[in-house]
Amino acid sequence: MGDDVLQIQSESTTLPWTLHRSWLPPLTAIDWSSTLMRRVHWQQPIVQVYGRHHPVPRLTMFLAEQDVSYRYSGTRHCGAGWPNWFLPMLNQVNTACGCRFNGCLLNLYRHGEDRMGWHADDEAEIDQSQPIASLSLGSNRDFQLRHRHQRQHRHTLELTSGDLLIMHPGCQRDWLHGVPQRRRIKTPRINLTFRCFQPR
């Protein structure tokens, strides 16, 4: 794993996330990208906005232990157990973060048109006393954060393949994040967001 760790700081306080640059070596990141593209049964949920139905502008999949369920994009997702091929990645992320994640939401941004709007991972099912880990594979994409109550506080992180972003407890309470559209990007990016869910 890479040792290049970037702790983002403001003038007076440390912000609640840590970015590990090149956490996965380049060849390992390529291998995992290929594996996920081949093995994951990607889906495109439909959401209702102001009475109209729209496909989510990215593809998704939820992997989790069997006792985990999660309502996301208007659909209840239920864990079917970790696939064996995914366990090496899960164990590495667990070790890096010092916790035991029991669910992972995967997003496939097929190109720069795919995006994620402003939100926080603050659903009731998620244990907010634990960190959330976000692993990027594939194309570079901007990851934006803004403070909920002090909108002038904004940060843009360019996440590259193999980067691991750890959002510490309190981040979801105080900050929103999103992945904006970038039309110049033509190649895919996969994001894996590891979380600790409350058991059903």
Side-chain angles (χ1 to χ4, degrees):
M1 300 302 172
D3 295 325
D4 183 11
V5 178
L6 176 63
Q7 181 76 47
I8 311 292
Q9 293 186 334
S10 68
E11 293 181 358
S12 60
T13 185
T14 299
L15 296 176
W17 57 81
T18 304
L19 177 56
H20 297 256
R21 291 287 188 195
S22 301
W23 182 77
L24 283 182
L27 291 179
T28 305
I30 290 171
D31 286 344
W32 271 108
S33 293
S34 176
T35 297
L36 293 167
M37 292 292 285
R38 185 177 70 253
R39 288 185 173 269
V40 172
H41 300 292
W42 297 102
Q43 304 165 1
Q44 189 169 26
I46 303 296
V47 295
Q48 184 173 344
V49 181
Y50 299 118
R52 305 184 71 173
H53 292 84
H54 304 273
V56 169
R58 60 194 172 276
L59 304 184
T60 70
M61 183 61 187
F62 184 61
L63 299 177
E65 296 178 0
Q66 289 187 349
D67 63 344
V68 171
S69 68
Y70 178 43
R71 186 167 183 81
Y72 176 75
S73 293
T75 303
R76 175 65 64 180
H77 302 271
C78 296
W82 295 113
N84 287 333
W85 60 265
F86 192 74
L87 292 177
M89 172 62 73
L90 174 66
N91 292 334
Q92 286 179 309
V93 176
N94 282 344
T95 299
C97 297
C99 65
R100 181 176 173 273
F101 294 112
N102 59 1
C104 180
L105 180 66
L106 296 87
N107 285 292
L108 170 57
Y109 300 85
R110 296 160 293 180
H111 40 64
E113 299 278 353
D114 281 355
R115 62 196 184 279
M116 175 82 76
W118 289 109
H119 71 288
D121 299 330
D122 56 359
E123 292 85 355
E125 300 100 323
I126 300 175
D127 183 352
Q128 297 298 327
S129 70
Q130 299 298 315
I132 292 176
S134 176
L135 176 63
S136 296
L137 300 170
S139 290
N140 297 3
R141 290 296 294 266
D142 288 341
F143 183 83
Q144 297 181 329
L145 300 110
R146 75 180 189 205
H147 198 277
R148 285 181 185 265
H149 310 297
Q150 302 172 30
R151 295 295 183 91
Q152 72 275 20
H153 292 305
R154 288 172 173 256
H155 299 266
T156 297
L157 309 176
E158 184 182 27
L159 299 182
T160 65
S161 191
D163 288 353
L164 181 69
L165 175 67
I166 301 175
M167 293 178 280
H168 304 297
C171 185
Q172 309 305 319
R173 180 193 65 223
D174 297 330
W175 293 80
L176 302 174
H177 57 270
V179 178
Q181 192 175 62
R182 293 290 185 261
R183 289 189 171 91
R184 71 182 185 280
I185 295 175
K186 306 300 181 184
T187 52
R189 172 202 183 228
I190 297 174
N191 175 246
L192 300 87
T193 307
F194 296 83
R195 300 156 179 180
C196 292
F197 292 88
Q198 310 280 1
R200 284 184 289 178

